[in-house]
Amino acid sequence: MSENKTMKAVGLRKYLPIEQPESLLDVELQKPVPGGRDLLVSVQAVSVNPVDVKVRSPKERTEANPRILGWDAAGIVEQAGPDCTFFKPGDQVYYAGSITRPGSNSQFQLVDERIVGSKPQTLSFAEAAALPLTAITAWEALFERMGIQAAAPANTGKSILIIGAAGGVGSIAIQLAKYAGLTVIGTASRSESAAWAKEMGADHIISHHEDFVPQLNKLGLQNVNYIFCLNSTEQHWSGMAEAIAPQGKICSIVETDQLLNLTLLKNKSVTFCWEFMFTRAMYETDDMIEQHRLLEGLARLIDRGVIRTTLTEKLEPINAANLKKAHAAIEEGRTIGKIVLENF
């Protein structure tokens, strides 16, 4: 066990545009001590998600102590709290963590073992760090929120439209939907993002800048049974209402400031639901442990070769300069797959 009482981290005190020198800072903090069901994890690799950018975005507030972002990590258990039963020091793990606690952009992080999984044996730390947040989001949306059965025979003849298919969540959602036996139609607006979505397993690619139904008709589809919206809910709302099958289900992860006209879904008896992967950890729900089980199940699928990592770019080391590069890339809205940083 490391004798150091301090650790490196990247945090913020002010919420600034990413190009500002103080938008992200290299800092040194006290190394935390685990209690209860917390693990102290030695962080080996992290990935960057749109939530990092959203939390860091400019606002009139100053933090007395540096706020640590980062909600994806792979690492090694350094110490386990007294009530831990799943993991012990030396175990290799991966997880997304909780939005209400200090994030993974630090050498050591405390995380509740109920939302941690065993790192897939066939992946490096960097490859594993690309996955937790997006995989939990996609898994919960498909199999829990929309109630899709994971058994492939049950989905013969059924289809899903994934809007924004080449990003981090879309890259995993395509793979999970194919595993479940669905016909997958992904949307993409550039040739490189279309190619990536096809590589992930999408059966068809259409544009989210054009009406969905005429494009689906060209594919021989009248409508789709499920829609997973990963891009601008309000922009696609009427298009989704038109494209969804009667008694179909729509799930979105993108909040909106605009009122959505739910009446558009009424005649088809369509279900609409939200997915927010931090819900269980944020509210410490009774079924919080399901994220541990989910990550364990995902690791088995990865080690069987069913699901692959979505890492597309790797930066080293984990510091403010490289995290700024990753944040800037995500803000441009043109990333494909996931950006990962490794080693402090």
Side-chain angles (χ1 to χ4, degrees):
M1 192 181 298
S2 171
E3 293 302 318
N4 264 345
K5 296 292 175 69
T6 61
M7 63 178 183
K8 294 178 183 177
V10 178
L12 62 82
R13 285 192 170 88
K14 301 175 183 176
Y15 295 84
L16 300 167
I18 196 61
E19 63 272 11
Q20 294 289 320
E22 294 184 10
S23 60
L24 292 171
L25 302 164
D26 291 307
V27 297
E28 192 162 289
L29 302 174
Q30 284 295 115
K31 181 178 168 182
V33 177
R37 297 195 73 172
D38 276 350
L39 303 171
L40 178 67
V41 177
S42 172
V43 175
Q44 305 297 306
V46 300
S47 73
V48 183
N49 293 284
V51 65
D52 298 66
V53 172
K54 198 177 298 178
V55 172
R56 195 218 76 246
S57 63
K59 50 186 76 74
E60 292 294 327
R61 196 163 87 231
T62 302
E63 301 289 347
N65 299 307
R67 182 171 185 183
I68 310 303
L69 309 182
W71 291 282
D72 256 340
I76 303 165
V77 176
E78 173 98 345
Q79 193 177 343
D83 300 330
C84 289
T85 57
F86 298 161
F87 300 101
K88 62 186 185 305
D91 287 345
Q92 298 185 357
V93 295
Y94 74 143
Y95 55 90
S98 170
I99 193 81
T100 60
R101 303 185 70 178
S104 56
N105 296 336
S106 58
Q107 276 185 296
F108 297 92
Q109 182 186 11
L110 292 179
V111 59
D112 191 303
E113 68 169 357
R114 290 171 291 178
I115 55 172
V116 174
S118 303
K119 182 183 78 65
Q121 295 176 10
T122 55
L123 297 187
S124 67
F125 285 108
E127 290 168 333
L131 293 168
L133 184 145
T134 54
I136 294 169
T137 300
W139 187 296
E140 288 185 349
L142 269 60
F143 303 132
E144 298 182 27
R145 309 293 175 234
M146 291 194 282
I148 297 169
Q149 292 186 51
N155 297 309
T156 302
K158 292 184 179 179
S159 56
I160 185 170
L161 173 64
I162 301 174
I163 301 171
V169 177
S171 301
I172 286 288
I174 291 171
Q175 297 182 68
L176 290 175
K178 286 305 297 177
Y179 167 68
L182 292 163
T183 296
V184 177
I185 303 98
T187 78
S189 57
R190 297 176 292 140
S191 57
E192 55 265 46
S193 51
W196 172 256
K198 289 284 280 187
E199 189 181 332
M200 290 297 102
D203 298 291
H204 308 285
I205 302 296
I206 63 175
S207 171
H208 45 244
H209 296 309
E210 300 173 32
D211 289 345
F212 296 141
V213 171
Q215 297 182 86
L216 291 173
N217 291 164
K218 286 182 181 176
L219 300 174
L221 295 169
Q222 187 177 348
N223 48 41
V224 290
N225 303 94
Y226 307 99
I227 298 178
F228 190 20
C229 181
L230 311 174
N231 171 273
S232 188
T233 304
E234 69 275 0
Q235 178 187 332
H236 301 298
W237 186 251
S238 60
M240 292 192 289
E242 189 182 5
I244 193 69
Q247 303 181 94
K249 295 181 181 179
I250 300 172
C251 182
S252 178
I253 66 168
V254 188
E255 67 271 35
T256 173
D257 295 327
Q258 298 183 21
L259 291 175
L260 300 176
N261 181 8
L262 285 171
T263 303
L264 292 179
L265 309 182
K266 178 182 177 293
N267 286 354
K268 291 182 180 177
S269 297
V270 167
T271 299
F272 174 71
C273 50
W274 293 109
E275 160 58 20
F276 186 53
M277 66 127 302
F278 291 119
T279 298
R280 283 173 159 143
M282 178 184 285
Y283 296 100
E284 294 194 1
T285 58
D286 291 341
D287 66 349
M288 186 170 160
I289 198 172
E290 289 302 321
Q291 289 194 346
H292 164 71
R293 293 173 179 149
L294 188 165
L295 289 169
E296 293 286 327
L298 179 73
R300 289 191 291 272
L301 290 177
I302 289 165
D303 288 339
R304 283 169 44 199
V306 176
I307 303 294
R308 53 175 278 192
T309 184
T310 54
L311 182 156
T312 50
E313 184 179 353
K314 191 161 60 174
L315 301 173
E316 192 175 357
I318 303 169
N319 61 18
N322 280 329
L323 278 165
K324 285 178 184 177
K325 289 179 189 174
H327 276 238
I330 288 176
E331 284 186 351
E332 287 173 14
R334 299 172 72 82
T335 53
I336 294 171
K338 292 296 294 291
I339 302 171
V340 172
L341 291 81
E342 64 177 344
N343 301 323
F344 275 92

